[in-house]
Amino acid sequence: MEILRVAIIAIIGALAFQWLSFPIPWMLGPLFAVLIAQFFVRKKLVWPPILRNIGLVIVGVAIGQAFDLGLFTNLGELLLYMVVINVILIVFCIGLAWVVHKMVGIPFKTAVASSVPGGLSQFVLFAEEEGDVDLAVVTFYHVIRIVAVVMFIPFLVSGHIVSEVSAPFTGSWWLFCLLLIIAGASVFIGKRLHLPVPQFLSPIVFIIIVKLFGVDVPEMPVTILHGAQLLIGAYIGLLLKPHMIKLPLRVLVGGVASTLAMVGLTYLSSLVIARMLDFSFATSFLSTAPGGLDQMGLLASAVGADISVVTVFQLFRLLFIFLVVLPLLKWFYRKRNVISKEKE
């Protein structure tokens, strides 16, 4: 019953946003509707992660279908820009963490874990492993950034949306369903290989491999993609829980201010990238935005940005944070703890 309640709220939100001609109505409508509803509806609202994962598999297949394999020939040129952008972003985030630490009054380690735009689950795990990191603050900062980025970025790039006329589905439904089943099964392999966001990235890799072998992939029905957007939007809408608002006001304001600062940096860097690499503003903005790989990939497919570029940029940043930033943070704090104990 709780799931059905959320589904009804999400559908109402999607239809309302579609009627108002807002961008990406089937994602933003459910997100806004569910987010607002949980602050007023007294009954429990539940949206299992499995529904979000189904949506991610569908979007992953759609992105794999649209992925331009020719991008790999120019990957060397993009690599330099990706490294520079991510180094600037991490340095900026550490400086932002210092400002948050001083202005808000939270420990610097907590501020760093809250400010670096990696995966929510990975930084929550980092907070748990370190022990002296405020888990509630880290969770709120990452959630408020994800929600804010997904909510407001479509409006920022709305003037750059490439409108496409959706043709009726003419392919084979049973072939398409088989494709989705196999793509869903690829998630288990992705988990064994420890891919980041395996529910999203595994289907992309699977479809790219299939295309490399020259196999024709059935097209994605628009109605199915809208359903996937609804599944993901409702899940994101439930991320920001009412109890999170009970944090001190300075912490809440700090979370919103740091998110705005990161979006501001993204805006400036996207203008540079668009000019240097001749990308559209939507493509460069979504490539550098401090959201998740799955959310930015979904937005790219919805607004008509270059899905290949956005996916590669976001994946590189995710790997950069997981393979470089997090290990360096852990090493730094371990080293500092050893030095502190030696002084005692």
Side-chain angles (χ1 to χ4, degrees), residues 113 119-130 135 138-139 142:
L120 171 61
S121 58
Q122 281 71 27
F123 272 96
V124 169
L125 180 61
F126 170 77
E128 291 175 340
E129 289 176 350
E130 291 299 314
L135 185 58
V138 172
T139 302
H142 281 274

Side-chain angles (χ1 to χ4, degrees), residues 33-309:
V34 173
L35 176 65
I36 295 171
Q38 65 178 322
F39 287 90
F40 297 97
V41 176
R42 294 185 178 274
K43 295 181 180 180
K44 189 176 182 181
L45 299 178
V46 175
W47 198 249
I50 183 65
L51 295 178
R52 187 277 312 259
N53 293 341
I54 292 173
L56 289 179
V57 170
I58 294 172
V59 174
V61 170
I63 288 179
Q65 291 173 327
F67 198 94
D68 181 11
L69 300 179
L71 181 68
F72 292 120
T73 60
N74 300 320
L75 201 57
E77 180 185 359
L78 294 178
L79 187 60
L80 176 62
Y81 289 96
M82 289 190 288
V83 171
V84 171
I85 286 174
N86 281 284
V87 169
I88 292 174
L89 176 66
I90 298 305
V91 172
F92 177 82
C93 288
I94 292 175
L96 183 62
W98 184 85
V99 174
V100 170
H101 160 64
K102 291 295 184 182
M103 301 294 291
V104 178
I106 61 177
F108 182 66
K109 187 189 289 190
T110 297
V112 171
S114 302
S115 301
V116 177
L120 171 61
S121 58
Q122 281 71 27
F123 272 96
V124 169
L125 180 61
F126 170 77
E128 291 175 340
E129 289 176 350
E130 291 299 314
D132 56 347
V133 175
D134 192 324
L135 185 58
V137 174
V138 172
T139 302
F140 171 76
Y141 272 60
H142 281 274
V143 166
I144 197 68
R145 186 179 65 251
I146 291 171
V147 172
V149 166
V150 175
M151 282 171 58
F152 295 118
I153 280 183
F155 292 96
L156 291 175
V157 301
S158 60
H160 304 267
I161 291 179
V162 179
S163 58
E164 297 178 350
V165 179
S166 56
F169 181 66
T170 57
S172 170
W173 276 103
W174 78 266
L175 277 178
F176 175 74
C177 292
L178 179 62
L179 178 71
L180 286 185
I181 292 171
I182 299 175
S186 71
V187 174
F188 296 99
I189 299 175
K191 288 181 177 179
R192 295 292 298 271
L193 296 175
H194 302 289
L195 292 180
V197 199
Q199 297 86 356
F200 176 73
L201 194 56
S202 301
I204 294 178
V205 174
F206 165 69
I207 297 297
I208 289 176
I209 292 174
V210 168
K211 288 170 63 178
L212 285 173
F213 281 95
V215 179
D216 289 331
V217 181
E219 60 182 298
M220 173 69 69
V222 175
T223 52
I224 298 297
L225 191 56
H226 286 171
Q229 292 174 357
L230 184 145
L231 294 176
I232 297 171
Y235 181 84
I236 297 175
L238 279 177
L239 285 178
L240 188 62
K241 304 294 183 183
H243 68 81
M244 292 181 178
I245 308 301
K246 295 179 182 178
L247 289 169
L249 180 61
R250 66 180 187 280
V251 175
L252 301 179
V253 173
V256 175
S258 63
T259 295
L260 292 175
M262 278 191 242
V263 172
L265 175 68
T266 295
Y267 181 80
L268 294 176
S269 60
S270 65
L271 293 178
V272 176
I273 291 297
R275 190 175 186 86
M276 297 294 291
L277 296 177
D278 197 26
F279 291 155
S280 69
F281 174 75
T283 296
S284 59
F285 196 82
L286 292 173
S287 297
T288 55
L293 168 64
D294 45 348
Q295 287 96 10
M296 295 305 100
L298 173 56
L299 292 180
S301 67
V303 304
D306 191 321
I307 294 174
S308 310
V309 173

